[in-house]
Amino acid sequence: HWHSLNILPYRTLDNKIDGVVLMLLDIDAMKSANEQLRHSAEFLRGVTDTVRVPLLVLDADLKIIAANESFQSTFKVSPEETVNRFLYSLGDGQWNIPRLRELLEQVLPKLHTVTDFEVEHDFEGIGRRKMLLNARTLSQTNDRQPMVLLAIEDITERSQAEATLRESEERFRTLFELGPVAVYYCDASGVIQNFNRHAAELWGRAPARGDTDEHFCG
């Protein structure tokens, strides 16, 4: 058991120390709770630093309790610039984003879990980025205020690739439909999958999708 020992001298009427009072308090439960809290904090740091996406742990007032290594490297900040600071004050207010405020102050308190909340913003040092935010309220015991876990996934490159792919598909469809020649294509077994209007005009009828007539797929 852990104990706290307090020693207080007592004096006589002529102000001489005549003895001491020893007070021994059992603090084992408190010591065990503090040790569990320390292990929990270490576990939380280990988990957040292992996750590859940027993570923030916020208290109920949106002050940053922890920021993982991925967050620091992605947004080019140090722990001293993030931990124990209010989220909206980071980087001269670059995180004071209306969509983010909506998520943390309006949506999350009602739902407790939010998935794939999209935010696009100009960030200092890394430029304009598109982010998917996933947030969860973490309840605590002993009537302590809940914490918020905020995961930030940078989907800028993926979004750009998807936009390029859509543009390529639109160009293909335009060329396919408006090209001056008859075009149709089949799968590996010879089944027609698509055709343009020139193919229908050439053959006098629209070849049915799934048609295996050798006239069309031979």
Side-chain angles (χ1 to χ4, degrees):
H1 275 250
W2 286 88
H3 294 83
S4 173
L5 177 62
N6 296 279
I7 304 176
L8 179 67
Y10 64 85
R11 301 175 182 274
T12 61
L13 293 177
D14 55 355
N15 202 30
K16 292 182 179 179
I17 296 177
D18 195 40
V20 295
V21 176
L22 303 179
M23 183 169 62
L24 197 64
L25 298 177
D26 187 341
I27 61 169
D28 196 69
M30 183 178 66
K31 193 72 174 180
S32 297
N34 289 338
E35 188 68 13
Q36 290 177 2
L37 182 61
R38 185 180 66 83
H39 284 305
S40 297
E42 291 175 354
F43 177 76
L44 178 61
R45 283 195 297 270
V47 171
T48 56
D49 284 338
T50 301
V51 175
R52 300 296 294 273
V53 300
L55 280 178
L56 289 176
V57 181
L58 312 171
D59 66 12
D61 297 321
L62 303 183
K63 180 183 288 187
I64 297 173
I65 300 173
N68 72 346
E69 294 177 358
S70 180
F71 180 89
Q72 297 167 32
S73 61
T74 298
F75 296 100
K76 305 184 187 307
V77 292
S78 66
E80 293 75 21
E81 295 173 310
T82 54
V83 179
N84 293 325
R85 295 178 180 267
F86 289 103
L87 176 64
Y88 299 145
S89 67
L90 288 184
D92 295 327
Q94 67 173 335
W95 285 91
N96 191 5
I97 307 169
R99 285 280 288 168
L100 179 60
R101 295 187 75 108
E102 178 187 354
L103 167 66
L104 295 176
E105 299 174 14
Q106 299 178 30
V107 179
L108 188 60
K110 298 177 182 177
L111 301 180
H112 302 293
T113 300
V114 177
T115 303
D116 293 343
F117 191 90
E118 190 172 297
V119 170
E120 189 169 1
H121 188 67
D122 286 311
F123 291 92
E124 182 180 347
I126 64 173
R128 190 162 191 84
R129 314 299 290 179
K130 181 177 286 189
M131 304 288 184
L132 278 185
L133 305 182
N134 293 278
R136 176 183 293 271
T137 300
L138 305 177
S139 300
Q140 298 195 80
T141 58
N142 300 328
D143 297 326
R144 296 177 62 189
Q145 290 185 318
M147 297 186 298
V148 174
L149 181 62
L150 179 63
I152 306 157
E153 181 183 0
D154 187 346
I155 61 167
T156 306
E157 295 180 0
R158 187 177 79 190
S159 181
Q160 291 171 347
E162 290 173 350
T164 301
L165 180 60
R166 286 194 299 270
E167 184 178 348
S168 298
E169 289 175 345
E170 290 173 359
R171 288 179 179 176
F172 170 76
R173 284 194 296 269
T174 300
L175 292 173
F176 183 77
E177 293 296 336
L178 302 181
V181 296
V183 179
Y184 72 95
Y185 60 87
C186 306
D187 62 18
S189 62
V191 177
I192 294 175
Q193 298 299 312
N194 209 343
F195 54 88
N196 68 357
R197 61 184 181 87
H198 287 290
E201 293 171 356
L202 176 64
W203 293 308
R205 70 178 177 88
R209 289 178 175 81
D211 199 336
T212 56
D213 190 312
E214 290 185 359
H215 180 71
F216 298 108
C217 297

